[in-house]
Amino acid sequence: MTVATQWWRDAVIYQIYPRSFADGDGDGIGDLAGIRRRLGHLADLGVDAIWMSPWYPSPMADAGYDVADFRDIDPVFGTLAAARALISEAHAAGIRLIVDIVPNHVSSDHPWFAAAMAAPNAPERDYFWFRPGEAAPNSWRSEFGGPAWTRTADGDWYLHLFTPEQPDLNWEHPDVRAEFESILRFWFEAGVDGIRIDSAALLLKDPALPEVPEHGPHPYHDLDGVHEIYRSWRRLADGYPDRALIGEVWLPDAERFARYLRPDELHAAFNFDFLGCAWDPALLRACIDRTLHVHAAVGAPATWVLSNHDVTRHVTRYGRSDTTFSFATKREGTPVDLELGTRRARAAALLSLSLPGAAYVYQGEELGLWEHESIPAGLRQDPMWARSGHGRDGCRVPLPWSGDEPPFGFSPTEAADPWLPQPPEWKDLTVAAQTGDPSSMLELYRTAIRLRRAEPGLRSPEMAWLDTAPGALAYTRGPGFACVVNLSGAPIPLPDHESRLLASSPLDGELLPPDTAVWLRLRT
Ligand code: NOJ
C-alpha cells in the first residue's frame, strides 16, 4: 500500500522552462534529451520535484502556453515516449514531476478552434466566446496589452485574454469540463505527481460580458463558480495516490486567494505576494505573517516563490532602488547594482528555504542568474513585448552549464545559436564554474537544501519570531533552529546559539553584516 506523504507541503520544487534548460539535439532550443542528460544537476541540488512548463505540441505563439494537443509532446522537445522515460528516470532519482495544464485557453491550432473557425455556425464555437456584432462586445484588454477580442473573416468576434492565438475556452460548456478531466486523468495515469494550473482564477466569465467596473465584481477574474471546477478536479486527483494540484492564482486579496486552498480544492498555490514584496523588513514580516495566517485558516501549506518565467529575475529586482515586482512597472533598463542584488538574493534564498511550507526554485536562480535586459529588439520572442513593450525574455535565457563562451554547454558543440542570446558575463556563473566553490550561489543552494532535509528544526511546522535588532528578521523553527536576516544598513549581533550552520555571506566576527542571512543551531 502506498503511504500518503503529502509531499507538496514542504517540498523544494524546481521549475524547468524546457526551451531554456538544456539542448540535447543541437537546434539551440532546450528539449527532453537535454533535461534527461542533466537530471544529475537536479539530484545534486537535492530538489524533491520538477515542475515542467508546457511541453505540448504548440505553434509557440506564447512559448508553449498556447497548447494544440494536451496529450502529446511538441517535436521540438521530443516525444511522448521520451516524456514517459523522463518521468521514470526522475522517479528513479527520487524526483517527482509536475506538468503544467493551461485550462483558460487553447492554441488557435487546437482542433476545436480550427473546427470553430471552419464555419460561422460550427457547434465548436460554443466551446469558445464567439459573439456577432459590428463592434467588439466590450472593451476588455488582453493581459499582454491590446484588445481582448479579434474579429474573424465572417464577422464574429472571439475572446482571448492573452494573444489572439490563445482563444479563451467557455467553461460553461460541459464538454470543456469533461475534456480537462480526461486530460488530468491522462497525465495522472502517465505517472505525474501533480498539476500546475495556469491562470487558475480566469476560467469563468460573466456571460453578459459587461465592462470591467471600477468597483464591484470583476467579470472574468476570480468568479465564485470557478471553485466548483477545482472541487471536481480535487475529487478526481483524490482518486490517485499523492497527487497535488497547484494553482497559479494572482489575487491581491489574501482571503480570496485562500479560498482556492480550502480542503476540498487545490493543494497549494504560488505565493506572488511574497514574490512581489519589497526587500524591506517590515513589509516582508507582514507578508510572511499574512501568508501563514491565511494558509493556516484553510489547512494549506504556504509556498515561497522568488522568481519564475514571467517575472524579472530577483537578483536584478533586489539590485534596484525599488525592489518590488509588478507587471505594470517592470522598470526594465533602470539602474541595477548586480552585486547588491546577488548579495540580497543569497540572503533571500536562506529566508525562503527556511520558512515553513514548500519552496519553489526557478531554473537558474540557483546559479544567481540576473535578468538579461539588453537582448536586441530583433531577437526578442515574447508576445508580451510586441503587445506592451514589457518582455519576459530576459528571465528565459538558456542556462549556462560550462565553458567560457556561449552557448556555455547549453547545446552540444556544432549547434545552432541558443534561441535567446546569453550574456558573455555568464561564464562566471556556469554550473561547472560554481561547482566546488564554497562561496558560489550554487553551493549555497546545494548546502541549504541538504540542511533543510537534515535539520530537525527545518522539518518542524512551527515558526516563531524572535526579538532582534531593528531592521532584521529572526525566527525559530522548532526549538533547535533559527534564521536571522539583516535587512538594516548596519551589522547586528547574533542571538545566543550553539553553532552556525550556514551564512549567505561571510560574517564580521560575531556580527551579521547588512543583507546577510544566517542559519543557527540553538542550544536546547
Ligand atoms: C501564465 C503563464 O505563466 C504565462 O507564461 C502565460 O503567458 C500566461 N499564463 C498565459 O497562459
Side-chain angles (χ1 to χ4, degrees):
M1 205 188 94
T2 324
V3 180
T5 61
Q6 303 206 346
W7 59 272
W8 56 87
R9 297 189 76 91
D10 61 359
V12 177
I13 301 175
Y14 185 94
Q15 181 188 357
I16 289 188
Y17 193 71
R19 295 182 81 73
S20 300
F21 186 73
D23 168 21
D25 65 6
D27 63 359
I29 301 175
D31 51 34
L32 298 188
I35 298 168
R36 290 170 68 190
R37 214 180 55 221
R38 298 286 191 184
L39 261 186
H41 172 66
L42 303 181
D44 290 348
L45 192 56
V47 303
D48 302 292
I50 299 167
W51 147 32
M52 189 71 65
S53 274
W55 54 5
Y56 317 105
S58 164
M60 306 283 169
D62 184 18
Y65 282 93
D66 48 322
V67 179
D69 177 359
F70 280 99
R71 297 181 183 81
D72 205 349
I73 301 295
D74 195 281
V76 83
F77 298 135
T79 60
L80 196 52
R84 290 186 193 279
L86 171 60
I87 295 166
S88 56
E89 286 159 10
H91 285 169
I95 300 173
R96 299 177 199 263
L97 193 138
I98 297 163
V99 291
D100 205 323
I101 294 292
V102 188
N104 180 67
H105 44 267
V106 292
S107 159
S108 48
D109 275 16
H110 188 282
W112 279 4
F113 194 72
M117 290 295 271
N121 54 359
E124 287 82 359
R125 288 210 173 182
D126 293 345
Y127 293 158
F128 300 93
W129 292 94
F130 278 85
R131 288 290 183 277
E134 275 315 300
N138 58 38
S139 54
W140 293 0
R141 307 281 298 167
S142 146
E143 303 275 321
F144 293 162
W149 295 93
T150 288
R151 197 167 197 191
T152 62
D154 55 59
D156 277 3
W157 299 82
Y158 70 88
L159 175 69
H160 51 84
L161 291 180
F162 296 92
T163 69
E165 294 82 13
Q166 293 165 292
D168 277 53
L169 288 165
N170 171 14
W171 274 84
E172 307 293 337
H173 201 299
D175 289 2
V176 172
R177 295 184 184 225
E179 172 65 359
F180 275 86
E181 296 203 356
S182 152
I183 293 165
L184 294 192
R185 274 195 209 95
F186 177 87
W187 285 106
F188 284 151
E189 270 151 33
V192 307
D193 304 280
I195 306 282
R196 179 261 186 192
I197 305 162
D198 188 75
S199 303
L202 295 182
L203 271 46
L204 288 187
K205 281 85 191 173
D206 178 341
L209 303 175
E211 293 296 343
V212 177
E214 210 168 305
H215 306 286
H218 197 285
Y220 60 81
H221 202 181
D222 189 35
L223 269 59
D224 286 341
V226 80
H227 295 284
E228 192 40 52
I229 298 171
Y230 298 128
R231 283 192 196 104
S232 75
W233 286 24
R234 177 60 176 263
R235 286 191 292 274
L236 190 157
D238 282 347
Y240 298 83
D242 244 5
R243 310 298 159 104
L245 300 172
I246 303 162
E248 188 209 16
V249 181
W250 290 88
L251 272 182
D253 178 330
E255 307 293 337
R256 299 281 309 177
F257 170 89
R259 289 157 54 97
Y260 289 77
L261 301 175
R262 289 176 291 196
D264 58 350
E265 297 193 39
L266 308 183
H267 298 86
F270 300 103
N271 188 347
F272 296 120
D273 190 18
F274 183 70
L275 183 152
C277 186
W279 186 248
D280 172 280
L283 295 175
L284 275 172
R285 181 170 171 153
C287 170
I288 293 166
D289 280 339
R290 192 164 53 241
T291 297
L292 295 175
H293 174 76
V294 300
H295 286 77
V298 286
T303 67
W304 308 103
V305 187
L306 293 167
S307 277
N308 67 28
H309 65 293
D310 290 329
V311 309
T312 309
R313 283 194 178 271
H314 59 275
V315 165
T316 299
R317 293 197 324 259
Y318 290 155
R320 290 203 162 116
S321 57
D322 181 340
T323 51
T324 57
F325 176 78
S326 86
F327 285 107
T329 53
K330 281 199 77 183
R331 291 181 280 279
E332 223 170 22
T334 61
V336 52
D337 176 344
L338 290 177
E339 211 175 301
L340 178 65
T342 302
R343 187 178 175 88
R344 290 176 171 170
R346 293 175 64 89
L350 295 199
L351 170 68
S352 61
L353 287 166
S354 65
L355 289 167
Y360 285 76
V361 176
Y362 173 50
Q363 67 177 34
E365 81 172 62
E366 81 282 18
L367 303 178
L369 300 188
W370 28 267
E371 186 83 1
H372 185 12
E373 297 197 306
S374 53
I375 301 173
L379 296 180
R380 299 221 177 208
Q381 313 265 344
D382 182 11
M384 190 190 258
W385 166 262
R387 292 175 72 92
S388 74
H390 306 293
R392 299 167 295 180
D393 292 314
C395 65
R396 299 176 173 181
V397 174
L399 292 193
W401 291 93
S402 59
D404 288 331
E405 53 187 45
F408 297 122
F410 170 70
S411 296
T413 44
E414 304 297 322
D417 286 342
W419 71 283
L420 285 172
Q422 299 158 304
E425 297 87 339
W426 283 7
K427 68 178 185 345
D428 299 325
L429 298 179
T430 65
V431 173
Q434 297 193 45
T435 295
D437 172 357
S439 69
S440 69
M441 185 73 90
L442 178 56
E443 294 297 353
L444 180 77
Y445 268 82
R446 285 177 175 161
T447 308
I449 294 172
R450 184 173 50 72
L451 284 170
R452 184 180 156 98
R453 285 215 177 122
E455 278 300 304
L458 282 171
R459 296 203 307 271
S460 150
E462 305 301 324
M463 175 200 163
W465 293 108
L466 283 175
D467 281 341
T468 186
L473 299 175
Y475 49 91
T476 55
R477 289 287 310 280
F481 176 93
C483 175
V484 187
V485 191
N486 183 2
L487 294 103
S488 78
I492 60 167
L494 296 178
D496 183 40
H497 58 277
E498 183 185 287
S499 58
R500 282 183 212 160
L501 295 166
L502 185 62
S504 64
S505 295
L507 267 60
D508 178 3
E510 278 303 300
L511 296 178
L512 186 66
D515 294 314
T516 305
V518 66
W519 286 2
L520 302 171
R521 189 175 294 148
L522 302 179
R523 284 179 237 282
T524 46

